[in-house]
Amino acid sequence: MNVSLTIDENPGPLHALAVLDILVLIMLLGFVSATLVHRAGVAVQLPQSQTRFPADNEALVLTVKGALEPVVYLGSRPIAEEELIGTLRRKRDEEGLRMVLLRSDRRLPAMMQLRLSEIIVAEGLDCGWLAEPGPPRPE
């Protein structure tokens, strides 16, 4: 028995699919290689701030607790307000202190926070306020 397979000599629609596959591959190579080309950007000059954020060891934490008779803590040591100014000056001059972080109780009057902030800024230091999240609100 003689079996043979013959293919038409004239190209038909089935032959066009192979040509389309090759064209799609060539287009994909062009798209992929275009994303890999290094293109020079535009130089941008951004403004710089005069103050820099201090490192953790450059900031001193000043904690104030209480509402009616607030107690001021420098680090973990209680300190009187009169003694605070001299201590801040000494730490600024000797240790290079740049910033004081003010952590206050929520019940502390805003005027006390403002007065302490003014003392810190008057000594030539940056003053930051630490906020602690309150209790979750009931839904």
Side-chain angles (χ1 to χ4, degrees):
M1 179 184 304
N2 191 2
V3 178
S4 66
L5 181 63
T6 59
I7 299 177
D8 293 336
E9 297 288 327
N10 298 331
L14 191 60
H15 292 93
L17 287 177
V19 172
L20 285 177
D21 286 343
I22 292 172
L23 288 176
V24 168
L25 286 174
I26 291 172
M27 286 177 26
L28 284 177
L29 285 175
F31 290 141
V32 170
S33 65
T35 59
L36 299 177
V37 173
H38 178 68
R39 296 185 182 165
V42 177
V44 177
Q45 185 67 29
L46 296 175
Q48 294 183 356
S49 174
Q50 297 299 323
T51 59
R52 64 177 180 84
F53 292 110
D56 291 338
N57 59 356
E58 293 179 354
L60 182 70
V61 178
L62 185 69
T63 307
V64 186
K65 292 187 177 184
L68 298 176
E69 294 185 23
V71 179
V72 179
Y73 293 91
L74 190 60
S76 60
R77 181 177 64 93
I79 189 169
E81 192 173 330
E82 300 80 28
E83 190 182 335
L84 176 66
I85 296 171
T87 306
L88 289 177
R89 281 184 189 158
R90 184 178 48 78
K91 287 191 175 285
R92 180 195 63 203
D93 296 337
E94 295 173 4
E95 300 175 16
L97 180 67
R98 294 192 50 150
M99 181 171 202
V100 177
L101 298 175
L102 182 62
R103 178 189 300 159
S104 61
D105 195 355
R106 275 214 257 149
R107 299 172 293 157
L108 186 72
M111 291 307 294
M112 177 72 173
Q113 286 180 344
L114 185 61
R115 189 170 78 230
L116 288 172
S117 297
E118 288 173 349
I119 290 171
I120 293 167
V121 171
E123 293 304 317
L125 298 168
D126 295 331
C127 180
W129 286 7
L130 288 177
E132 296 180 4
R137 295 182 184 175
E139 295 290 328

